[in-house]
């Protein structure tokens, strides 16, 4: 009798967990920065994107420690850059990737209901054909306050539109691979 074997090939690993830390100082710092810093123009629409230096600021050091400790389960990384996003009502992010890094991630400081979730796109080229025949080509990661999500930098993703009356506030980051450590 012939036996049929199954193998899962080319998986995309996405890591997530909940972190219990005080977000208030980070939120306060982002709102202070928003008053004096122009928004960087990347994938965000109708929102504010901070400078990419948050990992150097004391208000974010505890979060950085958590990220670095948790990312050891994946590989030996360092934080190459980190920024904050404030999405008011109707704000969103278009589909994009994060070049020049190994992994990317997001941490939710404030995530009201109906404020938009992270949408990950199927990275396989054949997903376009799947879509034509009704296949699901995205996965929605429901964000909650305190949730950390990490994924490969090449995984295309977007953020749904914020339909709540409150700001959605998140910190995003890129991880570079540490060599020789």
């Amino acid at each position: 009798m012939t036996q049929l074997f199954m193998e899962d090939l080319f998986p995309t690993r996405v890591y997530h967990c909940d972190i219990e830390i005080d977000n208030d100082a980070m939120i306060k710092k982002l709102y202070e920065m928003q008053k004096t810093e122009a928004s960087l123009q990347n994938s965000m629409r109708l929102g504010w994107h901070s400078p990419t230096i948050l990992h150097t600021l004391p208000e974010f050091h505890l979060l950085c420690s958590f990220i670095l400790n948790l990312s050891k389960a994946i590989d030996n990384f360092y934080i190459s850059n980190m920024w904050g996003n404030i999405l008011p009502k109707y704000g969103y992010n278009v589909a994009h990737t994060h070049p020049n890094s190994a992994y990317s991630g997001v941490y939710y400081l404030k995530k009201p209901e109906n404020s938009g979730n992270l949408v990950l796109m199927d990275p396989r080229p054949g997903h376009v054909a799947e879509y034509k025949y009704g296949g699901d080509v995205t996965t929605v990661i429901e964000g909650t306050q305190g949730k950390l999500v990490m994924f490969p930098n090449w995984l295309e993703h977007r953020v749904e539109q914020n339909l709540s009356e409150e700001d959605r506030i998140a910190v995003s980051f890129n991880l570079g691979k540490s060599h020789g450590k």
Side-chain angles (χ1 to χ4, degrees), residues 23-32 34 44 47-50 54 60 63 83-89 91 93 106-113 115-116 143-147 159 162 164 166-172:
N23 294 330
D24 291 344
M26 292 183 284
I27 291 171
K28 181 180 176 189
K29 182 65 175 177
L30 288 174
Y31 278 127
E32 287 172 3
Q34 185 183 30
M44 182 176 292
W48 180 78
H49 182 302
S50 82
L54 297 186
F60 296 87
L63 175 60
W83 60 97
N85 294 316
I86 299 176
L87 280 178
K89 187 171 186 176
N93 287 73
V106 61
Y107 174 72
Y108 298 96
L109 294 173
K110 181 181 175 192
K111 177 66 176 65
E113 193 172 327
S115 63
T144 55
Q145 182 171 315
K147 186 172 204 162
V159 176
N162 180 356
S164 80
E166 299 177 60
D167 290 342
R168 173 188 181 274
I169 306 174
V171 172
S172 297

Side-chain angles (χ1 to χ4, degrees), residues 51-178:
T52 61
I53 50 119
L54 297 186
H55 59 299
T56 67
L57 303 178
E59 294 87 351
F60 296 87
H61 283 176
L62 182 59
L63 175 60
C64 290
S65 293
F66 270 99
I67 291 167
L68 291 173
N69 284 328
L70 292 167
S71 69
K72 288 178 186 175
I74 307 168
D75 209 331
N76 195 16
F77 292 123
Y78 65 93
I79 297 173
S80 56
N81 53 19
M82 178 182 272
W83 60 97
N85 294 316
I86 299 176
L87 280 178
K89 187 171 186 176
Y90 304 124
Y92 63 98
N93 287 73
V94 297
H96 63 284
T97 60
H98 293 242
N100 303 315
S101 61
Y103 257 72
S104 298
V106 61
Y107 174 72
Y108 298 96
L109 294 173
K110 181 181 175 192
K111 177 66 176 65
E113 193 172 327
N114 298 317
S115 63
N117 289 307
L118 176 65
V119 179
L120 305 175
M121 276 67 157
D122 186 338
R124 299 167 299 167
H127 81 277
V128 175
E130 286 266 331
Y131 180 71
K132 286 182 182 178
Y133 300 105
D136 191 7
V137 298
T138 63
T139 296
V140 175
I141 305 289
E142 180 141 2
T144 55
Q145 182 171 315
K147 186 172 204 162
L148 174 74
V149 182
M150 295 185 288
F151 48 89
N153 70 311
W154 47 259
L155 187 59
E156 192 171 21
H157 57 284
R158 64 182 176 84
V159 176
E160 297 170 325
Q161 191 172 49
N162 180 356
L163 298 177
S164 80
E165 299 296 326
E166 299 177 60
D167 290 342
R168 173 188 181 274
I169 306 174
V171 172
S172 297
F173 56 91
N174 288 321
L175 300 173
K177 189 167 179 178
S178 299

